[in-house]
Amino acid sequence: MTVVLPDLMQKPVSGLAHVADDLVLMAETAAIFGLSDAQATKLRAALLAGDAAAAPELARLGLDAVPLGTPPDTEIHPVRALALTVSQTCNLACGYCYAAGGSFGGADTRMDWTVAKGAIDQLIDATVPGGGVKIAFMGGAHGGAGFDPKIRDLRK
């Protein structure tokens, strides 16, 4: 079997499903199904023709998307935790890292003190009296060496 992977730099051809070799990923549910070569070829052609052509082909395969409907009413809970990525660097620079070895594909950037302080102030201001919050500082070298000095002092 030759695996044909989609070009990850291109926009998907359909919002309904994605075909890679003999597998189809249903976009709405993230379910994956196996297809015969003939089914995959026919579905791939339908997806390229647009969602209007793909929907009946998915239905023929028994893979028509079930509408999710309106989300249930839920109580909105206050934010109680904040993770600040204060430096866009990593001192580990692992070759397998999703963040391009710690560089995130660009030059080192650091969160400005006013941005960090504003986010923290907003978190604390929205906290009920006596309530607790959690703040995590991420990025940079061990011990926060890559942080703005004001942020590093705030961690103490």
Side-chain angles (χ1 to χ4, degrees), residues 41-133:
T41 299
K42 194 167 184 179
L43 180 56
R44 193 175 289 112
L47 290 168
L48 287 170
D51 287 351
E57 183 60 23
L58 287 166
R60 189 185 70 73
L61 294 169
L63 300 175
D64 41 340
V66 178
L68 295 180
T70 306
D73 288 334
T74 58
E75 181 182 342
I76 297 176
H77 298 282
V79 175
R80 295 186 181 145
L82 179 65
L84 294 174
T85 304
V86 296
S87 177
Q88 186 179 309
T89 58
C90 176
N91 62 332
L92 298 178
C94 301
Y96 56 82
C97 179
Y98 72 92
S103 71
F104 291 85
D108 175 27
T109 59
R110 298 171 198 275
M111 181 180 288
D112 185 72
W113 164 245
T114 57
V115 173
K117 183 177 183 322
I120 293 167
D121 288 346
Q122 188 174 3
L123 176 69
I124 292 171
D125 290 346
T127 303
V128 296
V133 297

